[in-house]
Amino acid sequence: DIIQKISDKKPFVWIERMLSRAKAERVSELGIPGVGFVVESKRAWPYNTAGGALLGKVGIDGNGLSGIERQYERILHKPEVKTRFVRDAHGNRIQAISYDSESLELPKGDGLRLTLDADIQQIVDEELEAGRESAKAKSAMAILTDADTGEVIALSQAPTVNLNRDDIAPKALKNIIAETVYEPGSTMKPLVAAAALDEGVVRTGEMIDCQNGKMKVGPHIIKDVHPIPIVTFEDVLIRSSNIGMTKIGQRLGKDRLYSHLRTFGFGKLSELKLPGETGGILRKPEGWALVDVATHSFGQGIAVTPLQMMRAYGAIVNGGNLMPLRLVENENPQEFKRILSEKSANTIRDILFDVVENEHGTGKSAAISGVRVGGKTGTAQKANPEGKGYAAGKYMASFIGFVDATSIGVKNNYVL
């Protein structure tokens, strides 16, 4: 390989790059004419796998190839200094002149201060991988945000990737949190319920007939996994009734339902704008069939990203404000949009506490002694890649929860 390289007619060739200084010095000591070495910078990731796919990889010349490294390439990696050299008859450099008469010291890019907490990020990475292995899942994703500020505290996916390794497959660098779309299933129900409260088409304590688990909508049959009779509006969410949510969605109607889903941020990119990020799928109501009002009300027929769901739930937790998500401190101004009344948001928030605390709640496994935890479970079938319908036996399981951190002396509320 070396003979082939030095036989090239080019005036200069690399034999090897990014080797250790000790190895380079041993080669230099051999005194081979025309062979030398130059010192280059190399990116190192002190936390190894922490936030790997999010942070991204750089190329051998330091240019960002993926993730934040690519997104903020112009800030992190400044252009090289252009120079010209004066050499003697033997080719040795005797003088260097900068075109702009400035120092020839290689320029350094500016740093970025991320909102990520390195310690929490590592914990989330470890627990997520343990959960993925326990569930025998193909992959897993987790995001932790501060609902009051929109700051992303941790963003993780499993399997992880160690950025300090050189043998990373390109697909391992894919940020599946930004690029994955999925039908959210029952995690969509609290958002639709909040919109219905805001519109005044339903009220707390109202009795809703869930028809013992079976309801016909046009030619389609809507079913509940756990059939229930007439229950309160609150129990529709606590027990996660598809039929109860269908009736609530029908009261909203397709136009208002679509409008609120757009207001929550579905069908468009988040502020993070990570490489490869998608806006999901939210069709305009003109193309909806009769059953689409029902399916959208319990989280099918719409494709979302984890980023969109986290941002929407933040509005439930913080009292009705849709906050811009942030990964870089002080990058986005703290401009928020009120999308729910504080009363509606707080009502749904209290119901989600019951989803975890109530004996009939679907999220009892999320309970933590000493703090109040709320949240909602969701299970959705994966779309059939071969055509219409769903793939048999393949599911996306999710849970979006939040901790009332004031109970442990912390001001902010966190959503995971």
Side-chain angles (χ1 to χ4, degrees):
D1 290 341
I2 294 175
I3 291 175
Q4 185 175 11
K5 288 179 180 178
I6 62 178
S7 298
D8 195 290
K9 296 186 180 299
K10 296 178 181 177
F12 170 85
V13 293
W14 290 103
I15 301 241
E16 185 176 348
R17 296 186 68 180
M18 296 297 174
L19 67 163
S20 68
R21 181 185 289 270
K23 188 174 182 180
E25 290 176 346
R26 287 173 57 195
V27 173
S28 181
E29 289 171 358
L30 297 176
I32 302 173
V35 176
F37 70 91
V38 295
V39 178
E40 296 184 281
S41 61
K42 182 178 181 180
R43 178 80 88 226
W45 291 265
Y47 291 97
N48 293 314
T49 60
L54 170 65
L55 297 180
K57 188 71 173 171
V58 298
I60 198 168
D61 291 310
N63 54 306
L65 300 179
S66 66
I68 289 176
E69 293 281 7
R70 175 183 173 185
Q71 183 181 4
Y72 293 95
E73 165 73 8
R74 293 184 178 181
I75 295 175
L76 294 168
H77 185 210
K78 291 295 180 66
E80 296 83 355
V81 172
K82 294 182 178 181
T83 65
R84 56 182 177 180
F85 296 102
V86 176
R87 299 182 181 274
D88 62 19
H90 297 285
N92 298 315
R93 190 180 70 197
I94 58 175
Q95 187 178 5
I97 304 172
S98 172
Y99 284 145
D100 53 13
S101 300
E102 295 180 355
S103 170
L104 294 182
E105 181 180 353
L106 287 176
K108 295 182 180 179
D110 296 327
L112 287 178
R113 187 172 182 84
L114 303 182
T115 61
L116 300 179
D117 183 303
D119 294 329
I120 295 177
Q121 177 70 52
Q122 291 180 92
I123 293 170
V124 173
D125 284 344
E126 292 170 5
E127 294 297 330
L128 187 65
E129 176 59 24
R132 185 188 72 86
E133 292 180 356
S134 175
K136 297 180 173 60
K138 180 180 179 181
S139 60
M141 298 168 278
I143 315 170
L144 177 66
T145 65
D146 184 330
D148 295 319
T149 66
E151 292 183 345
V152 178
I153 310 300
L155 194 150
S156 179
Q157 64 186 59
T160 57
V161 56
N162 188 339
L163 296 173
N164 287 305
R165 294 178 62 98
D166 295 323
D167 56 344
I168 300 176
K171 67 177 182 179
L173 294 170
K174 179 180 178 180
N175 187 334
I176 59 176
I177 290 178
E179 299 183 39
T180 296
V181 295
Y182 69 103
E183 290 185 327
S186 293
T187 53
M188 181 62 75
K189 292 174 181 176
L191 305 178
V192 176
L197 276 178
D198 242 25
E199 291 287 350
V201 299
V202 69
R203 64 184 185 278
T204 57
E206 179 180 350
M207 304 305 293
I208 297 176
D209 186 2
C210 296
Q211 301 184 193
N212 290 310
K214 188 176 292 186
M215 175 184 177
K216 190 173 183 180
V217 178
H220 303 276
I221 301 295
I222 306 298
K223 296 180 180 180
D224 280 334
V225 176
H226 304 290
I228 54 177
I230 300 174
V231 297
T232 63
F233 164 73
E234 291 85 345
D235 272 331
V236 168
L237 286 179
I238 293 171
R239 300 192 181 203
S240 199
S241 170
N242 291 342
I243 293 172
M245 287 307 306
T246 294
K247 292 189 174 184
I248 292 171
Q250 287 174 337
R251 294 185 189 182
L252 276 171
K254 64 179 182 180
D255 291 325
R256 284 191 293 184
L257 178 55
Y258 171 82
S259 177
H260 279 280
L261 292 175
R262 286 287 294 181
T263 301
F264 273 115
F266 300 115
K268 48 190 172 184
L269 297 176
S270 73
E271 282 82 359
L272 291 183
K273 298 179 182 177
L274 293 170
E277 183 181 350
T278 176
I281 301 172
L282 175 59
R283 294 174 293 117
K284 292 186 176 180
E286 293 82 359
W288 290 15
L290 182 63
V291 74
D292 285 327
V293 172
T295 56
H296 281 63
S297 298
F298 54 78
Q300 292 185 356
I302 175 176
V304 304
T305 70
L307 293 175
Q308 292 171 339
M309 291 300 292
M310 291 298 293
R311 186 183 180 206
Y313 264 72
I316 297 291
V317 176
N318 68 26
N321 298 318
L322 191 69
M323 302 296 296
L325 294 180
R326 291 192 297 128
L327 269 169
V328 178
E329 288 189 0
N330 303 320
E331 181 182 48
N332 290 340
Q334 286 302 294
E335 296 180 1
F336 61 86
K337 179 181 180 182
R338 174 161 290 282
I339 61 171
L340 293 170
S341 69
E342 186 173 2
K343 181 180 179 180
S344 296
N346 289 344
T347 296
I348 299 299
R349 180 185 181 189
D350 289 341
I351 296 174
L352 292 180
F353 280 131
D354 284 335
V355 171
V356 175
E357 297 171 351
N358 189 289
E359 62 176 329
H360 298 297
T362 58
K364 294 191 295 292
S365 297
I368 302 173
S369 177
V371 295
R372 294 205 73 191
V373 179
K376 187 72 185 74
T377 55
T379 305
Q381 288 180 277
K382 291 185 177 180
N384 183 4
E386 305 295 329
K388 294 183 178 181
Y390 297 95
K394 294 186 177 181
Y395 299 91
M396 170 75 85
S398 59
F399 178 78
I400 305 180
F402 55 91
V403 175
D404 181 2
T406 57
S407 60
I408 52 175
V410 180
K411 178 182 179 182
N412 298 58
N413 296 297
Y414 295 104
V415 184
L416 178 62

